[in-house]
Amino acid sequence: MASIKDVAAEAGVSVATVSRALNGHPSVSPAARARVLAAVETLGYRPNAVARSLRTHQTRTLGLVISDVLNPYFAELARSVEEEARALGYSVIIGNADERPDLQDHHVATLLDRRIDGLLVSPTDGGSPGMLDAVRAGTPMVFVDRWLPGVDVPVVRSDGRKAVRDLVAHLHALGHRRLAIIAGPAATTTGRERVDAFREALGAYGLPLPDAYIGQGDFQAGSGRRVTEGFLALPEPPEVVFAADNLMALGALDAIRARGLRVPDDIALAAFDDIRWFVHTDPPITAIAQSTGELGRAAVRALVDRIGGRPGESVTLPARLVPRRSCGEPDPARSPSPVRRSTP
Amino acid sequence: MASIKDVAAEAGVSVATVSRALNGHPSVSPAARARVLAAVETLGYRPNAVARSLRTHQTRTLGLVISDVLNPYFAELARSVEEEARALGYSVIIGNADERPDLQDHHVATLLDRRIDGLLVSPTDGGSPGMLDAVRAGTPMVFVDRWLPGVDVPVVRSDGRKAVRDLVAHLHALGHRRLAIIAGPAATTTGRERVDAFREALGAYGLPLPDAYIGQGDFQAGSGRRVTEGFLALPEPPEVVFAADNLMALGALDAIRARGLRVPDDIALAAFDDIRWFVHTDPPITAIAQSTGELGRAAVRALVDRIGGRPGESVTLPARLVPRRSCGEPDPARSPSPVRRSTP
DNA sequence: GTCCCTCGTGTAATCGATTACACAAGGGAT
DNA sequence: ATCCCTTGTGTAATCGATTACACGAGGGAC
């Protein structure tokens, strides 16, 4: 593979001139520039990003550590992050932590070893050692979706509080009184917050949230199934199951179906995070939708600000309720065409 | 950030000794090794992968260029690729080409600039210039899922021919005679092959595949919707729609629903690529499942072989039919419990 | 003509690692 | 005692770029 020296030889100039010509430095004569460009063309030269990074101390690369690419929510997040990063001249390296703190640390360490310019993290857990080291070391960082309380890093996330209140209002209006939740890991902010918001919203209607109606999940389908089986085995099973993410809702659906029960007649179901398939499940599933794309883009902008030495602002976007049939027939007077309404 | 020089100073040895100690070189005295390790510990030193790569000419990084992370099939592929690569000591950088040749070229170029050790590609299109250059330049490469005919690169893929025959047999047994397909882009091998396999299987039953029953899609949901709308507007609409990937099946479902029709009573639906949601759609969707995880792992192994100078073998894995209710009730004698049967 | 400034270019240091080569010390064989 | 070999270590070259600094040529002001 041709190096800058080869180009210099081919063009009959020094490597400095080649570098200057290629980087748009002003003081290069048109003649020299032309010869460099011609040499680049004939040799098919492409600058070695590794060498450049070593010298300039920047890689123009961002790291993104998420907890599960198989979760459509994170896949969409990853996609929008890459898109915005590309627009700003950065590449993105994705690390999939699989909700495992050790894997998260592995990816953070690997990314740091590669001297990425900045790190976007959706922390899996209360804060793995490697991540905290990275913060302490001053790596430009932004939390996205989830965050670590007490750590001084900008946070870009959705606030589902309002949407959860809307959901509970919706459920209450449909006559449901015994509501249960499949929570995410308590160590994650989204895991805790969604439970808190749910409890708070229930409180506004004078409804309790007994411990038996709080199932501990891990954002994976398997846990949704197990927790739901537990709910269904209760002497007084809940009338509604609210899954804190879409994969646990999938697991809940598995469990309900295995029991031979029907949604929403026997039990209602709702989920945090909307995905396109929810329109076509049996029945269509009521969900709380985040502006995932905007989240990813805002996170990248905040991170690039930090990298550039600017403060990098935290952003909180609203989430919204998308009612469908999984909680019971919506009031026909207010939504004459549920089909229409549930299509984003 | 501490460099190898700092470690050398702290340990009172030369940089060479530090490097040797850290790389397990035999001739380092236990005393020196201990002091180096201690210095590494106190300074929190981590080797700079950029510098190491420049010197050693290897990055221990693989590139993976896929056409759409939002497609659960590719998300799963990406995940298994990363997993196997990690097990072999490699990192993976994913490039999302979004079915766009220009984006594919952008990612190939960026990855090459970063001097990745090898490239895994699921080519979007008949062969974008940058990709062919990469092949010509001798970059270790392996095609996964899709490939470019006539290009001398190992291919790791599924062969759906047998499964498609099974599907057509299944459809025929259910009494369907007018079968249509939503094809993928003709420039992709999977796009062409699935149509060919379908046509061939139909031929075995003496069924035609008229042009009007071949809709041109692009593996995205939108195209599935448009093509299906076209099918439904035909004077004699098909009895079955077979979507060449899961996203186009989603679009087809959208279109069918918008028309107020029902699956499978009014029209049957099947898809290539199985995803977990297909169990819970209304109705559950008959699909052809690939061993996606095994595909990704085999591809990484082949690529690492190539990088190591070994040949790197092509692999073809079988796909299998997973019948569900979207094509009509399966024969109750043979599958008394469709619920059971459709759960993988 | 002299001085000085600008412009274009080249030389060489530098980034942080790896590694060929040189070399000193110590031990065993003779 | 001498020679040689092994072992451990250091010096310095190297990877491929960027960039500070030096320098020569040319032009304008006086």
Side-chain angles (χ1 to χ4, degrees):
Chain A
M1 187 148 279
S3 82
I4 195 171
K5 276 190 204 158
D6 304 316
V7 177
E10 174 79 18
V13 296
S14 73
V15 294
T17 301
V18 174
S19 176
R20 283 189 278 248
L22 261 27
N23 291 296
H25 194 284
S27 67
V28 177
S29 69
R33 187 182 309 274
R35 278 157 56 209
V36 168
L37 261 26
V40 164
E41 185 67 24
T42 55
L43 296 176
Y45 169 75
R46 301 239 61 197
N48 183 326
V50 174
R52 169 179 291 165
S53 294
L54 178 59
R55 181 57 231 248
T56 60
H57 299 283
Q58 53 161 336
T59 50
R60 298 216 61 95
T61 302
L62 308 180
L64 170 64
V65 178
I66 54 180
S67 35
D68 186 7
V69 247
L70 293 192
N71 186 322
Y73 168 74
F74 283 112
E76 194 178 338
L77 187 66
R79 185 205 149 108
S80 64
V81 162
E82 196 275 337
E83 231 166 53
E84 182 74 5
R86 180 153 33 82
L88 296 176
Y90 286 84
S91 302
V92 176
I93 305 184
I94 301 170
N96 185 195
D98 241 348
E99 305 285 1
R100 283 168 46 191
D102 62 317
L103 249 189
Q104 172 175 282
D105 259 9
H106 165 88
H107 283 121
V108 170
T110 311
L111 292 168
L112 257 32
D113 286 354
R114 278 161 198 263
R115 303 301 192 263
I116 45 141
D117 294 340
L119 198 53
L120 238 34
V121 188
S122 178
T124 281
D125 150 282
S128 50
M131 255 207 44
L132 298 175
D133 286 354
V135 177
R136 225 172 296 122
T139 314
M141 205 189 273
V142 166
F143 288 138
V144 57
D145 183 49
R146 310 176 185 173
W147 80 99
L148 259 29
V151 177
D152 183 29
V153 162
V155 180
V156 176
R157 64 185 189 102
S158 295
D159 183 357
R161 229 155 260 277
K162 166 76 167 54
V164 169
R165 276 201 303 273
D166 290 347
L167 171 65
V168 170
H170 172 70
L171 294 169
H172 190 267
L174 288 168
H176 299 302
R177 294 297 178 268
R178 296 199 308 276
L179 318 189
I181 184 169
I182 310 176
T188 62
T189 44
T190 46
R192 281 195 305 276
E193 277 194 340
R194 290 170 192 176
V195 177
D196 291 348
F198 194 58
R199 190 198 318 273
E200 202 180 294
L202 289 181
Y205 287 88
L207 298 176
L209 182 59
D211 283 349
Y213 281 6
I214 306 179
Q216 196 52 60
D218 60 6
F219 287 140
Q220 298 294 312
S223 70
R225 187 183 310 119
R226 281 192 302 278
V227 167
T228 305
E229 281 161 3
F231 285 156
L232 297 177
L234 249 30
E236 193 170 50
E239 296 159 340
V240 181
V241 171
F242 173 41
D245 88 335
N246 70 80
L247 292 180
M248 297 195 296
L250 173 65
L253 222 41
D254 284 341
I256 293 167
R257 178 174 186 170
R259 270 254 176 165
L261 300 177
R262 296 174 6 157
V263 178
D265 314 272
D266 299 313
I267 189 161
L269 181 65
F272 209 104
D273 290 341
D274 194 17
I275 65 170
R276 302 196 56 185
W277 294 101
F278 279 173
V279 176
H280 294 296
T281 49
D282 177 24
I285 297 178
T286 294
I288 291 177
Q290 303 188 46
S291 312
T292 318
E294 188 43 44
L295 210 66
R297 286 188 288 275
V300 170
R301 285 192 297 265
L303 182 56
V304 170
D305 279 349
R306 286 234 102 175
I307 292 170
R310 281 148 283 154
E313 61 170 340
S314 289
V315 176
T316 303
L317 299 173
R320 69 176 204 292
L321 177 67
V322 181
R324 300 199 181 93
R325 289 211 316 278
S326 67
C327 298
E329 218 45 63
D331 177 359
R334 294 179 59 206
S335 84
S337 158
V339 173
R340 269 279 158 80
R341 193 169 173 189
S342 55
T343 310
Chain B
M1 185 147 278
S3 84
I4 195 171
K5 275 190 205 159
D6 303 315
V7 176
E10 174 79 19
V13 297
S14 73
V15 293
T17 300
V18 175
S19 176
R20 284 190 278 249
L22 261 26
N23 290 297
H25 194 282
S27 68
V28 177
S29 69
R33 188 183 307 276
R35 278 158 56 211
V36 167
L37 261 28
V40 164
E41 185 69 23
T42 55
L43 296 176
Y45 169 75
R46 301 238 60 195
N48 183 327
V50 175
R52 170 179 292 166
S53 294
L54 178 59
R55 182 58 231 248
T56 61
H57 300 282
Q58 52 161 334
T59 50
R60 298 214 60 93
T61 303
L62 308 180
L64 170 65
V65 178
I66 54 181
S67 36
D68 186 5
V69 248
L70 292 191
N71 186 323
Y73 168 74
F74 284 112
E76 195 179 336
L77 186 68
R79 186 205 149 107
S80 63
V81 162
E82 196 275 337
E83 231 166 53
E84 182 73 5
R86 180 152 33 81
L88 298 176
Y90 286 84
S91 303
V92 176
I93 305 184
I94 301 170
N96 185 197
D98 241 348
E99 306 284 1
R100 281 167 46 190
D102 61 318
L103 249 188
Q104 173 174 281
D105 260 8
H106 165 88
H107 283 121
V108 169
T110 312
L111 291 167
L112 257 32
D113 287 353
R114 277 160 198 264
R115 302 301 193 262
I116 46 143
D117 294 342
L119 198 53
L120 237 35
V121 188
S122 178
T124 281
D125 150 284
S128 50
M131 256 207 46
L132 298 175
D133 286 354
V135 176
R136 224 170 297 124
T139 316
M141 204 188 275
V142 166
F143 288 139
V144 56
D145 183 49
R146 311 177 185 171
W147 79 99
L148 259 30
V151 178
D152 183 28
V153 162
V155 180
V156 176
R157 64 184 190 103
S158 296
D159 183 356
R161 230 154 258 276
K162 166 77 167 55
V164 169
R165 275 201 302 273
D166 291 347
L167 171 65
V168 170
H170 172 70
L171 294 169
H172 190 266
L174 289 168
H176 299 302
R177 295 297 178 270
R178 295 200 309 277
L179 319 189
I181 184 169
I182 310 176
T188 62
T189 45
T190 46
R192 282 193 305 276
E193 277 194 341
R194 291 170 193 175
V195 176
D196 291 348
F198 193 57
R199 190 199 318 271
E200 201 179 294
L202 289 181
Y205 287 89
L207 298 175
L209 182 58
D211 283 350
Y213 283 4
I214 307 178
Q216 196 52 60
D218 59 7
F219 286 140
Q220 298 294 312
S223 70
R225 186 183 310 119
R226 279 192 303 278
V227 167
T228 305
E229 281 162 3
F231 286 156
L232 298 177
L234 250 30
E236 194 170 50
E239 295 159 342
V240 181
V241 172
F242 173 42
D245 89 335
N246 69 79
L247 292 181
M248 295 194 298
L250 174 65
L253 222 41
D254 283 342
I256 292 167
R257 178 174 187 171
R259 269 256 178 163
L261 299 177
R262 296 176 5 160
V263 177
D265 313 271
D266 300 313
I267 189 160
L269 182 65
F272 209 104
D273 291 341
D274 194 18
I275 64 170
R276 301 196 55 185
W277 294 101
F278 278 173
V279 177
H280 294 296
T281 48
D282 177 26
I285 296 178
T286 294
I288 292 177
Q290 302 188 45
S291 312
T292 318
E294 189 44 45
L295 211 66
R297 286 188 289 274
V300 170
R301 285 192 297 264
L303 182 56
V304 170
D305 279 350
R306 287 233 102 176
I307 292 171
R310 279 149 284 153
E313 61 171 340
S314 289
V315 175
T316 304
L317 299 172
R320 69 178 203 291
L321 177 67
V322 182
R324 300 200 182 92
R325 290 210 315 279
S326 67
C327 299
E329 219 46 64
D331 177 0
R334 295 179 58 206
S335 83
S337 158
V339 174
R340 268 279 159 80
R341 191 170 175 191
S342 54
T343 310

